[in-house]
Amino acid sequence: MVKCCSAIGCASRCLPNSKLKGLTFHVFPTDENIKRKWVLAMKRLDVNAAGIWEPKKGDVLCSRHFKKTDFDRSTPNTKLKPGVVPSVFESPDHLQEKKEKLHCRKNFILKTLPVTNRGHQLVGASCIEEFQSQFIFEHSYSVMDSPKKLKHKLDHVIIELENTKESLQNVLNREKHFQKSLRKTIRELKDECLISQETANRLDAFCCECCESTE
């Protein structure tokens, strides 16, 4: 699965040629304090959860959201310096308009502030007003495509499923045909006294077992 940058409005994807273009992708820090700073710097809220967006395992940010001085280039693999925080983010016009519309909703309530993780408070109550006005409301990136594209993908999956079923049925038909031919051969060998009755019985029992395993 292709990894996408988690920043709002960023279309960067981790592709085979990304590194050649100078684009790198970085997972969120394991240190909860630094991780919190990354999340706050992104100013991203999850409307579905009515709270601050929280990264999942495997979520990444691309190098476009860091300053050049944030990187350690002394090694072959470009790494971020310890403790750096992303600071390069843009707010596209269409997202800004969406933000203003959401702020105009009288009944919209932000429920999950402050951010918590494993029952520990990560953001003090005094920070709520400061950051609430700055966050960009955006749906989860789990639905990135338009309904038309999703319908096209669904149709493609259905076609692939039907083709797989058809291929499987062809395999089963060939298997049954093979078993039928094998039994006929066993009978012919027995009739011509080329194999004993005991051998014929064993081969026939083997065929029966194969039939039961494929049903």
Side-chain angles (χ1 to χ4, degrees):
M1 182 177 180
V2 178
K3 291 185 177 181
C4 303
C5 181
S6 298
I8 294 176
C10 184
S12 298
R13 296 193 174 191
C14 187
L15 302 173
N17 62 342
S18 295
K19 195 171 183 179
L20 296 177
K21 295 181 180 180
L23 189 63
T24 55
F25 292 79
H26 308 273
V27 297
F28 284 75
T30 55
D31 183 279
E32 291 297 338
N33 186 43
I34 304 300
K35 181 180 178 181
R36 176 193 63 179
K37 292 181 180 180
W38 279 40
V39 172
L40 294 179
M42 292 172 64
K43 299 182 177 66
R44 175 178 174 180
L45 286 181
D46 185 352
V47 173
N48 294 326
I52 297 176
W53 175 85
E54 294 187 21
K56 302 179 184 63
K57 183 179 180 180
D59 285 340
V60 294
L61 278 181
C62 74
S63 53
R64 290 175 177 172
H65 306 292
F66 297 87
K67 298 177 182 178
K68 293 182 178 180
T69 54
D70 291 338
F71 295 95
D72 180 4
R73 304 183 187 278
S74 61
T75 59
N77 295 325
T78 303
K79 297 181 180 180
L80 291 171
K81 294 179 181 178
V84 299
V85 178
S87 56
V88 184
F89 295 98
E90 296 181 358
S91 178
D93 293 337
H94 70 284
L95 292 178
Q96 185 63 33
E97 292 175 1
K98 184 182 295 185
K99 173 185 175 183
E100 292 174 357
K101 290 180 180 179
L102 286 170
H103 277 296
C104 290
R105 296 181 184 178
K106 296 181 180 180
N107 297 326
F108 185 84
I109 301 175
L110 184 61
K111 297 179 180 179
T112 58
L113 287 173
V115 179
T116 58
N117 185 46
R118 297 179 184 177
H120 299 287
Q121 185 172 0
L122 297 181
V123 183
S126 61
C127 297
I128 295 177
E129 293 184 0
E130 176 184 355
F131 290 105
Q132 184 171 346
S133 61
Q134 299 178 15
F135 275 101
I136 299 174
F137 291 78
E138 182 68 358
H139 286 286
S140 171
Y141 273 19
S142 60
V143 181
M144 297 182 64
D145 295 328
S146 66
K148 185 176 180 180
K149 289 184 178 180
L150 291 174
K151 178 64 167 56
H152 176 73
K153 289 183 177 180
L154 179 59
D155 291 340
H156 178 73
V157 171
I158 292 175
I159 292 174
E160 289 292 329
L161 179 60
E162 292 298 329
N163 291 338
T164 302
K165 288 182 177 179
E166 184 178 354
S167 298
L168 178 59
Q169 187 59 50
N170 290 336
V171 171
L172 293 176
N173 291 338
R174 288 196 297 269
E175 181 71 16
K176 291 180 180 179
H177 178 72
F178 170 76
Q179 292 168 358
K180 186 177 179 179
S181 299
L182 181 57
R183 284 179 171 176
K184 181 180 178 181
T185 302
I186 293 172
R187 289 195 301 269
E188 291 176 351
L189 291 173
K190 174 61 178 62
D191 294 341
E192 295 177 8
C193 298
L194 296 176
I195 59 175
S196 64
Q197 181 63 48
E198 183 181 358
T199 302
N201 292 339
R202 289 182 178 180
L203 291 174
D204 190 62
F206 174 75
C207 290
C208 291
E209 292 178 359
C210 291
C211 288
E212 292 176 356
S213 64
T214 56
E215 290 179 352

